[in-house]
Amino acid sequence: MDIAYWIVAALLAAFYLYAGGKKVLQSQERLRPMMGWVDRVPMPAVRLIGTLEVLGAAGLILPPLTGIAPWLAVAAATGLGLVQCGGIVLHVSRGEARSIGLNIALQVAAAAGAWLATVRL
């Protein structure tokens, strides 16, 4: 179970560090080609989502790695799952229901990460 957690956590952390970092650091114009929804959401909210994703990535890795408050990994995985709930709602409201496959996969991976982190406690 420990190996399974680290595989899931590493993959999720890499994805969210990349995607969240882009949302935090890049302009709306640079984000628009790959995230068309940034036109509909205020940039402070996009930056907040990116910050939450980066913090979630750190929360998946640092607490279990250091042994300090390992329950934070469960909270981080749960929070990332909630971010994907918001993403699904956003895409469906924009009529992009066909493009929620990645959101669903990330939500399932986050749920698996939360469960595996719970088993590790």
Side-chain angles (χ1 to χ4, degrees):
M1 290 296 201
D2 201 42
I3 293 171
Y5 172 77
W6 284 111
I7 291 170
V8 171
L11 291 172
L12 280 172
F15 177 85
Y16 282 112
L17 191 59
Y18 173 76
K22 288 182 87 55
K23 290 176 186 111
V24 169
L25 298 174
Q26 290 188 339
S27 67
Q28 187 176 31
E29 293 75 31
R30 297 221 29 217
L31 291 172
R32 190 176 297 121
M34 59 192 269
M35 299 177 203
W37 57 269
V38 297
D39 286 336
R40 185 171 178 192
V41 176
M43 276 311 285
V46 174
R47 301 270 189 245
L48 175 63
I49 293 166
T51 301
L52 292 173
E53 290 175 345
V54 170
L55 290 173
L60 289 172
I61 302 299
L62 295 177
L65 189 63
T66 63
I68 300 171
W71 58 269
L72 286 174
V74 177
T78 303
L80 292 172
L82 292 173
V83 167
Q84 290 310 313
C85 286
I88 290 169
V89 168
L90 178 73
H91 286 300
V92 169
S93 72
R94 289 173 45 94
E96 302 168 344
R98 291 182 178 212
S99 66
I100 63 171
L102 178 61
N103 299 92
I104 292 171
L106 288 168
Q107 192 171 34
V108 168
W115 179 75
L116 288 166
T118 303
V119 171
R120 291 186 77 242
L121 292 177

